[in-house]
Amino acid sequence: MRPCRELVARIELPSVRRVIDVGCGPGNSAEVLAARWPDAEIVGLDNSNEMIDTARREQPARRWVNREIADWASGAKPNEKYEKFDVVFSNAALQWLPDHVALYPKLLDRTPPGGAFAAQIPANFGAPAHEIMRDIGKLPAWRHRFPAESLREWHAHDAAFYYDVLAPHSSRVDIWETEYLHVMPDAESLVEFYKGSGMRPFLDLLATDAERMQFTREYLERIRIAYPRRPDGRVLFPMLRLFVIAYRGASQEDAA
């Protein structure tokens, strides 16, 4: 949750009454947002029934919406009110969605003048942890399982890309990268951590548990070489993350 807390802390708005957490998962980020703005209405949105059910169970006083992020960003459904929020927030979710050129401005547009869109995504796609997956996937034994049209890796670009996408729609863009060094007990812990995130696009395309176990074993062998143990036996895993906060200025229409 450290990247989430650091993103929330950097949002500079004088007054926040309504916040939506898109890709909210089980509600962890919502708790961080509520701690920053205890009097604000916090709404969570996620496309996973399981995640939304958990959030509702753990935080029944909040509103939880089961919906695709891109669908919500595009506008209201028939007979649905088009809502705007002082802060549209996303923590480690938008990397699963394509077409950030269109998506990010749409999310910013769900804020009123003076509002902010704030997002954080992992940005370590050139790291050994990702290159190893791709290399294994290209081996003769595996390549038939990972056709290019089916393999959906994370979607992310460099900081300049996001600045160029958001600057024409913003009064100010705050953008930065932070590399976190995760201290892992061993290579097995690193792989276990990544099975729920970076490895998902590969593991989801495998048909059986046996295949997933074999792919993971081959991945672990290479991870042990790429991320060697330190003298104390632990493993350092660098994780680069990209943060952006776009502040929406008043449009000519709004100013009028």
Side-chain angles (χ1 to χ4, degrees), residues 179-200:
E179 185 171 68
Y180 298 86
L181 282 172
H182 295 268
V183 181
M184 314 296 286
D186 47 36
E188 287 82 357
S189 299
L190 191 162
V191 172
E192 192 63 31
F193 168 69
Y194 235 46
K195 280 167 64 177
S197 54
M199 291 181 71
R200 274 177 52 192

Side-chain angles (χ1 to χ4, degrees), residues 208-224:
T208 66
D209 288 340
E211 285 186 332
R212 285 185 280 273
M213 289 176 63
Q214 180 59 33
F215 186 89
T216 302
R217 278 194 293 267
E218 294 182 28
Y219 182 69
L220 174 60
E221 289 175 6
R222 298 190 182 205
I223 286 292
R224 286 188 175 123

Side-chain angles (χ1 to χ4, degrees), residues 52-221:
I52 290 295
D53 287 346
T54 300
R56 283 178 177 146
R57 185 170 60 252
E58 297 295 327
Q59 302 177 57
R62 305 199 194 284
R63 178 156 65 100
W64 304 100
V65 180
N66 187 194
R67 190 167 172 185
E68 295 285 348
I69 295 172
D71 178 55
W72 178 82
S74 295
K77 294 179 178 179
N79 303 318
E80 178 185 70
K81 180 183 176 183
Y82 185 83
E83 295 184 273
K84 294 207 173 192
F85 293 83
D86 299 309
V87 176
V88 173
F89 181 88
S90 185
N91 180 58
L94 300 182
Q95 71 274 11
W96 299 114
L97 280 70
D99 195 11
H100 288 185
V101 170
L103 177 64
Y104 274 52
K106 287 179 181 177
L107 290 168
L108 175 61
D109 195 50
R110 296 303 298 257
T111 69
F117 162 57
Q120 176 270 126
I121 58 173
N124 62 328
F125 307 105
H130 280 269
E131 294 293 345
I132 288 170
M133 282 183 279
R134 297 178 190 122
D135 290 345
I136 295 174
K138 293 173 185 174
L139 294 174
W142 291 106
R143 66 168 65 115
H144 66 290
R145 293 296 190 192
F146 306 115
E149 65 274 11
S150 300
L151 184 60
R152 186 196 69 169
E153 284 198 75
W154 287 345
H155 300 276
H157 308 273
D158 62 19
F161 169 90
Y162 291 104
Y163 179 84
D164 291 343
V165 164
L166 289 167
H169 309 277
S170 310
S171 60
R172 178 163 65 97
V173 178
D174 185 10
I175 190 163
W176 72 98
E177 293 178 336
T178 299
E179 185 171 68
Y180 298 86
L181 282 172
H182 295 268
V183 181
M184 314 296 286
D186 47 36
E188 287 82 357
S189 299
L190 191 162
V191 172
E192 192 63 31
F193 168 69
Y194 235 46
K195 280 167 64 177
S197 54
M199 291 181 71
R200 274 177 52 192
F202 289 84
L203 297 179
D204 288 349
L205 288 178
L206 298 176
T208 66
D209 288 340
E211 285 186 332
R212 285 185 280 273
M213 289 176 63
Q214 180 59 33
F215 186 89
T216 302
R217 278 194 293 267
E218 294 182 28
Y219 182 69
L220 174 60
E221 289 175 6

